[in-house]
Amino acid sequence: MQYITLQVEQIEYFGMEDNKGSYNGELVAGSNMMMLDYLFNQEDQLMAYQLVRLAEGGAWQVLCGGSPVATLTKTDGRWLALNEAKLDVDSICKIGDFIDQQNFNRLPAKIKQHWEDFVAEVLVKNDSEYIIVTVPGINFTSFKRFFAEYIGHLVEDEWPIEFKVYDFSFNEDFVVRVF
């Protein structure tokens, strides 16, 4: 795996890993736990919930002080509690809106739209790690150059994000880190 670290104008290259052909999208998609911190004011006091999703498309567990207060899911465009929630409907909607606004919900579509002739698949491993697979028949070396130069413009998050990029046959790969 070739690594490219982007921070302002800096690019660093690292050695290759021998992991060709080991990619299994079903395993990655089924194991991507996501954790978010949701901060809000309650009676002039800052409160925090931890939001945890164990698998892509799964329900979100809402924790307060490590204790579960609700399990949320989005059905027919509406956020609902699956169990007896210790939250009111307004809080459930606000937490759902917060989840919807996260960049990991929009970034894969933005990547595929920007490079529609080059990218076959974008998988979210978690909010700081993405796997990208290109379409067959492209010039992978050229794609690496313009992907590394532009991906920072699509990223809205304020933490490091790593993009593992594979060619269609998994014979070539590279990693871009955006800070």
Side-chain angles (χ1 to χ4, degrees), residues 27-178:
L27 292 177
V28 172
S31 66
N32 53 357
M33 185 171 112
M34 190 75 64
M35 294 175 52
L36 303 171
D37 291 319
Y38 176 70
L39 305 175
F40 62 100
N41 283 317
Q42 185 176 37
E43 300 172 8
D44 294 329
Q45 188 176 17
L46 186 63
M47 302 291 291
Y49 287 141
Q50 186 174 39
L51 312 176
V52 179
R53 183 187 72 189
L54 298 178
E56 187 173 351
W60 287 87
Q61 303 296 316
V62 181
L63 307 172
C64 184
S67 299
V69 294
T71 301
L72 306 181
T73 187
K74 191 170 188 177
T75 305
D76 297 327
R78 292 183 25 192
W79 283 95
L80 305 168
L82 291 178
N83 54 4
E84 190 132 341
K86 299 175 186 173
L87 297 173
D88 58 57
V89 173
D90 186 51
S91 295
I92 291 170
C93 291
K94 286 179 180 177
I95 291 170
D97 288 344
F98 173 77
I99 293 169
D100 287 340
Q101 293 170 10
Q102 299 305 302
N103 197 34
F104 66 81
N105 288 320
R106 298 183 311 274
L107 188 55
K110 287 167 59 176
I111 291 170
K112 286 182 85 169
Q113 180 181 10
H114 186 79
W115 289 292
E116 65 184 314
D117 294 335
F118 299 92
V119 174
E121 191 65 49
V122 179
L123 300 169
V124 181
K125 191 166 181 186
N126 57 53
D127 64 342
S128 61
E129 196 172 349
Y130 295 78
I131 296 173
I132 298 169
V133 181
T134 64
V135 299
I138 67 164
N139 182 326
F140 194 70
T141 303
S142 293
F143 178 72
K144 175 172 49 174
R145 183 178 41 82
F146 55 76
F147 182 85
E149 289 174 2
Y150 192 78
I151 190 62
H153 297 287
L154 296 179
V155 173
E156 298 171 11
D157 294 321
E158 298 178 4
W159 55 81
I161 298 178
E162 183 174 278
F163 298 92
K164 294 179 181 177
V165 182
Y166 298 89
D167 74 339
F168 183 77
S169 61
F170 297 96
N171 290 324
E172 296 183 72
D173 51 43
F174 64 93
V175 171
V176 176
R177 292 185 181 126
V178 177

Side-chain angles (χ1 to χ4, degrees), residues 1-2 15-24 166-167 169-174:
M1 177 77 58
Q2 189 173 39
M16 296 290 288
E17 286 180 28
D18 186 18
N19 64 351
K20 294 172 183 40
S22 64
Y23 173 78
N24 183 335
Y166 298 89
D167 74 339
S169 61
F170 297 96
N171 290 324
E172 296 183 72
D173 51 43
F174 64 93

